[in-house]
Amino acid sequence: MYLDFSVEKGGKLSQPVPEKWTAFAYILTGKIYFGTSHQELCEPHHIVVFSDGPNVTFENKDNEPCHFVLIAGEPLNEPVSRHGPFVMSTPKEIDEAIMDYKMRQNGFEEKYEI
């Protein structure tokens, strides 16, 4: 799920998110409050990660519009191995990706030569 929200002053919504999905929001501009009974103010260029729940609730109490994206998906429940910019499932796959990068075998290194 990828949703792009522009919320005017006074705007509020409770967006359903499928059960057991992981969701996060990235605030692009403006300020927004997330939550129901306990609301947290979130500012531009911040990420908010939501716990498992049926909805993401938000409200714009500020005078300026707020623009943010809400991204959610079903967790893969697979192992994660990471090193620098490389993210794979196993350390062996990381080693292979690094070697491919060094040998210029990833397929994108020469695509946009100037």
Side-chain angles (χ1 to χ4, degrees):
M1 169 189 306
Y2 179 93
L3 302 173
D4 189 320
F5 289 96
S6 291
V7 186
E8 297 295 325
K9 177 183 178 179
K12 54 185 168 181
L13 181 71
S14 187
Q15 173 64 47
V17 175
E19 187 177 332
K20 298 188 179 181
W21 278 28
T22 300
F24 71 92
Y26 179 74
I27 294 78
L28 298 160
T29 61
K31 298 176 184 176
I32 193 87
Y33 285 85
F34 287 101
T36 50
S37 59
H38 175 72
Q39 293 186 325
E40 297 248 353
L41 175 63
C42 300
E43 298 187 359
H45 310 293
H46 285 84
I47 292 177
V48 183
V49 179
F50 302 100
S51 60
D52 187 22
N55 297 303
V56 171
T57 303
F58 53 88
E59 179 177 5
N60 185 353
K61 298 179 183 180
D62 200 50
N63 290 325
E64 299 296 320
C66 178
H67 182 203
F68 71 93
V69 293
L70 177 65
I71 301 168
E74 189 173 2
L76 297 175
N77 295 321
E78 293 183 3
V80 176
S81 183
R82 55 192 166 264
H83 177 82
F86 300 99
V87 179
M88 306 297 276
S89 296
T90 66
K92 180 180 178 195
E93 289 175 341
I94 292 286
D95 292 341
E96 291 170 0
I98 291 171
M99 184 57 68
D100 286 346
Y101 178 77
K102 288 179 179 178
M103 301 299 291
R104 303 176 66 82
Q105 295 176 345
N106 290 50
F108 297 101
E109 286 81 6
E110 296 181 32
K111 184 168 178 98
Y112 299 106
E113 284 191 25
I114 296 175

